[in-house]
């Protein structure tokens, strides 16, 4: 159509390295579905990133498919959003290599995720784990994304992506759109239920600290009942002095839409027992339809296959255009 304005683009992804957590849902996925009408959205299963840490091959395959089903069940309509598997689009590996050569050792050394993960996997500090932010920069830049919706822990990786893009554009002229991180106001950093000073994470060793998106209601309730609080017996938002309670308030607020003052008023004079039960129930009800729909979708593998095949095709089309430009700019001889 004449005068049709090109919609802004979004790209994000999650590593299918385990079971999706309540943290990834509230920090990322939950916010994605609402963006589909306004933006042109690309969401991937970042399987290539997962092998920076050893994976069991059969589990990786299963987790990748489950993640796709969970994306759809969380409201990502495959007609309106391009859903694809990163390794199905070779341009990611191709641009990743080019960007490795425009990313500095010093800047990679400062990445918090590298420091954390190399401490946790001291016997496998491989080159991929170190250069991972360059691959992630390629993921984003291939789609000329305007916005990258992620949780707070990924902000540093979007910033290095901007630095790499600016450096490349500075040398070769306008090639990449400079993306912005898009981080939710509530839910950007959900903490572990048992050690609220640490981020809730799917690779957490303590299974009680982490609630999974597809977990059974009774297990979710049990975990919330055991959640660490304090001896104050007062529901008040104060992350520094009351990290456990404040984390539960964040979760309740993200699940129900209630503001912190409303939550404080609702539980004034009531014990933590009541509060933890209410938070647990709000999470169970939020996740119930997603779990049921994910299970239903997983029983229809043929459908999921059509989605990731068409996703790979649509994603490749956009990605290859950017890759072509990049190859030309750096001086690779056209085939
Ligand atoms: P891993 O333990 O394998 O590093 P993770 O559980 O930290 O994984 P990711 O797969 O790295 O989760 O994250 C997926 C998305 O969810 C990212 O956008 C990330 O920022 C967001 N996210 C992950 N954990 C949280 C959390 N606890 N709170 C808010 N957002 C989160
Ligand atoms: N690094 C992210 C996953 C990820 C991603 C991306 C997120 C890989 N590529 C591109 C946004 C955009 C993580 O570990 N959560």
């Amino acid at each position: 159509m004449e005068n049709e304005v090109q919609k802004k683009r979004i790209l994000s992804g999650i590593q299918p390295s385990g079971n999706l957590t309540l943290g990834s849902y509230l920090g990322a996925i939950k916010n994605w579905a609402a963006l589909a009408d306004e933006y042109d959205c690309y969401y991937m299963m970042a399987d290539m990133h997962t092998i920076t840490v050893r994976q069991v091959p059969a589990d990786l395959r299963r987790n990748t498919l489950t993640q796709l089903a969970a994306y759809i069940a969380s409201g990502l309509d495959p007609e309106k959003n391009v859903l694809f598997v990163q390794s199905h689009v070779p341009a990611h590996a191709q641009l990743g290599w080019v960007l490795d050569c425009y990313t500095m050792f010093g800047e990679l050394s400062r990445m918090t995720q590298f420091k954390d993960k190399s401490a946790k996997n001291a016997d496998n500090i491989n080159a991929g784990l170190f250069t991972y932010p360059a691959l992630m920069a390629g993921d984003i830049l291939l789609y000329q994304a305007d916005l990258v919706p992620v949780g707070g822990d990924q902000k540093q990786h979007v910033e290095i992506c901007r630095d790499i893009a600016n450096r490349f554009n500075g040398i070769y002229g306008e090639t990449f759109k400079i993306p912005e991180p898009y981080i939710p106001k509530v839910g950007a950093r959900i903490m572990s239920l048992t050690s609220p000073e640490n981020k809730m994470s799917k690779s957490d060793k303590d299974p009680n600290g982490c609630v999974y998106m597809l977990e059974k209601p009774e297990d979710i309730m049990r975990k919330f009942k055991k959640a660490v609080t304090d001896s104050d017996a007062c529901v008040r938002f104060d992350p520094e002095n009351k990290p456990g309670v404040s984390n539960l308030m964040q979760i309740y607020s993200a699940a129900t839409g209630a503001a912190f003052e409303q939550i404080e008023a609702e539980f004034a004079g009531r014990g933590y027992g009541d509060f933890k039960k209410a938070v647990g129930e709000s999470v169970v009800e939020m996740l119930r339809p997603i779990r049921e729909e994910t299970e239903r979708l997983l029983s229809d593998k043929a459908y999921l296959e059509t989605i990731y095949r068409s996703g790979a095709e649509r994603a490749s089309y956009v990605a290859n255009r950017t890759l072509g430009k990049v190859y030309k700019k750096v001086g690779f001889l056209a085939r």
Side-chain angles (χ1 to χ4, degrees):
M1 222 174 28
E2 242 181 283
N3 291 336
E4 195 181 353
V5 186
Q6 166 95 49
K7 278 188 187 171
K8 288 196 171 184
R9 290 241 176 87
I10 283 193
L11 175 119
S12 196
I14 296 183
Q15 303 190 38
S17 52
N19 297 321
L20 288 166
T21 71
L22 177 65
S24 346
Y25 181 67
L26 294 179
I29 306 173
K30 178 170 180 271
N31 311 300
W32 296 353
L35 301 165
D37 289 325
E38 207 178 326
Y39 297 88
D40 200 10
C41 300
Y42 293 78
Y43 297 113
M44 60 175 193
M45 324 308 132
D47 58 345
M48 290 167 66
H49 286 270
T50 68
I51 62 166
T52 54
V53 173
R54 287 281 176 272
Q55 302 292 323
V56 176
D59 291 352
L60 177 55
R61 262 188 290 278
R62 198 189 55 246
N63 289 335
T64 305
L65 209 59
T66 305
Q67 191 171 307
L68 172 62
Y71 278 5
I72 301 172
S74 302
L76 295 180
D77 177 348
E79 296 291 321
K80 293 191 186 164
N81 300 272
V82 179
L83 308 179
F84 68 101
V85 179
Q86 185 187 24
S87 64
H88 292 178
V89 181
H92 288 260
Q94 293 168 303
L95 184 61
W97 168 251
V98 174
L99 296 184
D100 272 348
C101 304
Y102 296 82
T103 307
M104 300 301 140
F105 183 88
E107 57 190 351
L108 290 173
S109 311
R110 289 192 286 276
M111 294 293 114
T112 316
Q113 187 170 322
F114 172 70
K115 290 188 219 164
D116 287 352
K117 290 207 172 173
S118 46
K120 278 191 200 154
N121 302 283
D123 55 345
N124 182 23
I125 306 178
N126 59 71
L129 189 65
F130 186 63
T131 62
Y132 160 114
L135 180 63
M136 174 161 162
D139 298 338
I140 298 167
L141 300 176
L142 275 175
Y143 299 89
Q144 306 287 354
D146 296 275
L147 280 189
V148 185
V150 283
D153 62 307
Q154 293 299 317
K155 188 164 178 250
Q156 203 184 25
H157 288 156
V158 181
E159 275 160 8
I160 194 177
C161 169
R162 291 165 57 90
D163 293 341
I164 298 168
N166 276 317
R167 181 173 302 137
F168 195 97
N169 287 351
I171 304 172
Y172 300 104
E174 251 352 79
T175 311
F176 298 124
K177 177 72 84 45
I178 309 298
E180 299 278 346
Y182 180 82
I183 295 168
K185 287 203 178 65
V186 181
R189 194 168 164 79
I190 302 297
M191 311 309 275
S192 154
L193 298 187
T194 48
S195 49
E197 59 289 350
N198 298 320
K199 189 188 85 141
M200 183 183 282
S201 151
K202 56 175 129 69
S203 52
D204 195 341
K205 297 268 180 314
D206 178 4
N208 287 321
C210 185
V211 170
Y212 299 107
M213 259 179 84
L214 305 177
E215 201 161 15
K216 289 206 257 6
E218 55 272 30
D219 292 336
I220 298 180
M221 288 308 291
R222 182 176 43 78
K223 289 182 181 180
F224 276 103
K225 279 185 191 145
K226 280 198 190 150
V228 168
T229 48
D230 50 52
S231 53
D232 219 18
C234 171
V235 175
R236 182 165 50 82
F237 192 71
D238 178 356
E240 210 159 294
N241 300 306
K242 295 166 71 65
V245 169
S246 304
N247 186 40
L248 293 172
M249 286 179 74
Q250 288 259 6
I251 295 173
Y252 193 61
S253 171
T256 61
F260 294 145
E261 307 81 71
Q262 279 172 295
I263 303 173
E264 288 172 357
E266 184 182 349
F267 294 97
R270 291 164 67 184
Y272 285 154
D274 268 8
F275 174 53
K276 291 203 262 188
K277 188 161 167 263
V279 181
E281 281 166 357
S282 73
V283 170
V284 165
E285 290 321 315
M286 174 179 69
L287 295 179
R288 187 192 302 280
I290 300 177
R291 175 174 48 86
E292 289 172 357
E293 181 63 2
T294 303
E295 281 165 9
R296 194 189 67 74
L297 287 164
L298 278 172
S299 66
D300 189 353
K301 300 270 185 316
Y303 170 71
L304 293 174
E305 217 174 281
T306 61
I307 300 303
Y308 67 67
R309 286 213 176 122
S310 107
E313 229 165 83
R314 291 159 73 190
S316 294
Y317 177 78
V318 177
N320 285 334
R321 283 181 44 173
T322 303
L323 184 72
K325 267 197 219 168
V326 169
Y327 271 21
K328 197 164 164 196
K329 294 217 174 186
V330 300
F332 292 165
L333 182 67
R335 197 166 65 171

